[in-house]
Amino acid sequence: MHKPIKTSLCAIALLASAVAGAADGAKQDAKGISGGTVKIGVLADMSGIFSDLSGEGAVTAARMAVDDFVAEQKPGFKVEVVTADHQNKTDVAASRAREWYDTEGVDMITDVINSAVALAVSEVTRDKDRVLMVTGAGSTTINNEQCSPNTILYAWDTYSLANSLGRTITEQGHDRWYFVTVDYALGKSIEYDATKAVENSGGEVLGSLHHPMGASDFASFMLQAQSSGADVIGIANAGGDLHNAVRVANEFGINQSQKIVGLAASMTDVHALGLEVTQGMLLVEGFYWAQDDAARQWSKRFKEKTGKMPNMLNAATYSAVTNYLSAAKELGTDDADAVLAHLHEQEINDLFAKNGRIRPDGQMVHDVYLYEVKSPKESEGEWDYYKLRETVPAEKAYQPLSESRCPLVNS
């Protein structure tokens, strides 16, 4: 964060402010805000494989947050949003973050979908002593081995999804699992956490298979999973691999006899595949546009701007930007240490998070929801996709601090 202005400069600014008369109140409100402007950087995937989850949706959510904040709280300082495409390249992301911090006065960066990108930007953010609120990525490395006092893992993580699904579904009596897992870090991490949750809840994992990313034929994988005799087939992959696995499950009628669980699935996937293909699939989300009146009202506004309903990451970006700006206004400063300390003290309850709080490891924990995808007959129209099966409290969803590998915990 910018260094405090020297006392002599403060005196000059105050003198000029006094002469300005009518503008006096506004300038005093901005005292402590570097340059009188708070800058938010949305570093997103604007054109790549995560652009449907991130991209213009993240930018729109951030700008809505700024517009609402300025209109409702009348802060007395300016707020600007800058955006960039990180291209899913760590060097591009780190270079852009450094440039924003060094030459453009950016105070906080958000989104940074893609865990490798998030980790690269987190390192730069710590070095420059600014704020990073990760709403796109969800690797548990961000709040464990590579945790940072300047980074908040705000929206989700792989542990909360896998643990919530594994534990809740097993406790409901579907306790024999088989995993179809993509053979890289994301899939292995999800399978590991889900396996622990299943076994700790008294269930049994009958086996798993690992497939390469971008596999062209999922028929043999899904038929092998079907023949295992498991009650539940946990699909631990994302993007095109997830879509192909779910399509095959529907095509062969596997989803009629076994529960299909999308361990990293989202509403974006359901919308892309359609209810005919995804009906009956179970998944966990931290936000759904129809979960309550506040979510509905905001989501309707978002759809008017984008043509589609917001996903969980979009809502998290709106929440993160709003809470950051509110903290800066309340404190009268954009100093990173002060704003972060303030955020760590707050309970967050808004259109995105319920019972949210930021822990010492930088994880923002909040309630999450187990949903079942509706059949086409049950849906009342476009975007009406989910039936709520269970609310999973924050303390049951996320990795316990006692298991944390973050050096900041109990340090």
Side-chain angles (χ1 to χ4, degrees):
M1 196 53 49
H2 298 155
K3 300 297 183 183
I5 302 173
K6 293 182 180 180
T7 304
S8 58
L9 294 180
C10 286
I12 294 171
L14 288 173
L15 178 59
S17 177
V19 173
D24 194 33
K27 289 189 179 180
Q28 287 189 22
D29 284 345
K31 181 183 177 182
I33 302 296
S34 49
T37 301
V38 172
K39 284 193 177 182
I40 306 294
V42 182
L43 192 52
D45 177 4
M46 304 300 294
S47 56
I49 58 174
F50 300 120
S51 57
D52 280 347
L53 287 166
S54 173
E56 289 299 336
V59 174
T60 298
R63 287 181 171 153
M64 287 177 68
V66 170
D67 290 345
D68 290 349
F69 169 77
V70 171
E72 294 167 9
Q73 299 199 35
K74 298 177 175 54
F77 54 80
K78 295 180 180 179
V79 183
E80 295 180 8
V81 175
V82 295
T83 69
D85 183 356
H86 59 55
Q87 303 172 41
N88 291 297
K89 298 177 180 178
T90 57
D91 57 339
V92 171
S95 176
R96 174 61 68 178
R98 192 172 293 108
E99 179 184 351
W100 275 352
Y101 292 145
D102 285 345
T103 66
E104 297 189 32
V106 167
D107 298 291
M108 187 271 274
I109 292 176
T110 191
D111 190 273
V112 291
I113 198 167
N114 180 322
S115 294
V117 163
L119 289 166
V121 175
S122 180
E123 184 176 345
V124 175
T125 302
R126 184 171 189 165
D127 180 56
K128 300 299 180 180
D129 194 21
R130 304 292 173 91
V131 178
L132 174 64
M133 299 181 78
V134 179
T135 56
S139 169
T140 54
T141 303
I142 297 169
N143 68 307
N144 277 281
E145 291 86 355
Q146 295 189 47
C147 65
S148 163
N150 296 79
T151 296
I152 298 172
L153 186 57
Y154 197 86
W156 68 286
D157 71 349
T158 54
Y159 185 101
S160 64
L161 301 188
N163 177 63
S164 297
L165 284 162
R167 182 188 59 79
T168 304
I169 294 171
T170 300
E171 289 177 351
Q172 291 177 350
H174 309 290
D175 56 3
R176 290 160 57 85
W177 285 65
Y178 191 92
F179 291 100
V180 176
T181 303
V182 65
D183 193 15
Y184 71 99
L186 171 73
K188 293 176 181 178
S189 175
I190 293 174
E191 181 186 330
Y192 175 79
D193 289 329
T195 295
K196 282 204 312 181
V198 169
E199 292 176 346
N200 289 341
S201 301
E204 179 184 7
V205 175
L206 303 183
S208 67
L209 62 84
H210 291 183
H211 66 81
M213 184 169 65
S216 58
D217 182 9
F218 270 81
S220 61
F221 304 143
M222 296 306 294
L223 289 172
Q224 184 175 331
Q226 181 186 37
S227 66
S228 70
D231 304 323
V232 183
I233 299 175
I235 302 177
N237 57 25
D241 290 332
L242 171 68
H243 294 187
N244 288 332
V246 175
R247 284 194 187 100
V248 168
N250 178 71
E251 186 179 324
F252 286 91
I254 299 171
N255 55 353
Q256 296 177 16
S257 58
Q258 292 161 297
K259 288 193 174 295
I260 303 299
V261 174
L263 288 158
S266 72
M267 188 183 72
T268 300
D269 299 307
V270 174
H271 184 71
L273 290 165
L275 294 181
E276 188 67 44
V277 172
T278 57
Q279 60 184 310
M281 184 170 70
L282 298 169
L283 70 165
V284 162
E285 295 261 33
F287 170 87
Y288 176 46
W289 70 267
Q291 66 189 27
D292 56 35
D293 287 342
R296 285 177 179 274
Q297 292 171 12
W298 180 77
S299 298
K300 181 179 179 181
R301 291 171 51 215
F302 183 93
K303 186 173 184 292
E304 289 171 352
K305 294 178 180 292
T306 65
K308 60 184 180 180
M309 286 297 183
N311 58 41
M312 175 177 68
L313 308 187
N314 303 150
T317 297
Y318 179 91
S319 173
V321 172
T322 299
N323 281 290
Y324 174 84
L325 291 173
S326 297
K329 179 181 184 295
E330 185 168 342
L331 296 170
T333 181
D334 54 5
D335 176 76
D337 293 341
V339 172
L340 285 162
H342 183 81
L343 289 170
H344 276 264
E345 295 171 354
Q346 306 307 303
E347 182 172 307
I348 300 172
N349 283 289
D350 57 17
L351 65 87
F352 168 68
K354 301 296 181 286
N355 301 312
R357 60 185 178 85
I358 300 169
R359 304 190 311 192
D361 60 349
Q363 175 77 63
M364 201 273 271
V365 301
H366 53 89
D367 296 350
V368 299
Y369 310 96
L370 174 66
Y371 290 111
E372 180 180 340
V373 178
K374 291 182 176 181
S375 69
K377 290 182 179 179
E378 293 172 311
S379 175
E380 297 180 0
E382 188 181 27
W383 301 103
D384 180 29
Y385 295 154
Y386 290 163
K387 296 182 287 188
L388 178 64
R389 287 307 187 202
E390 188 167 334
T391 297
V392 184
E395 62 270 18
K396 290 188 176 182
Y398 289 87
Q399 173 184 300
L401 273 179
S402 60
E403 297 178 10
S404 176
R405 303 180 298 279
C406 170
L408 300 174
V409 176
N410 298 321
S411 60

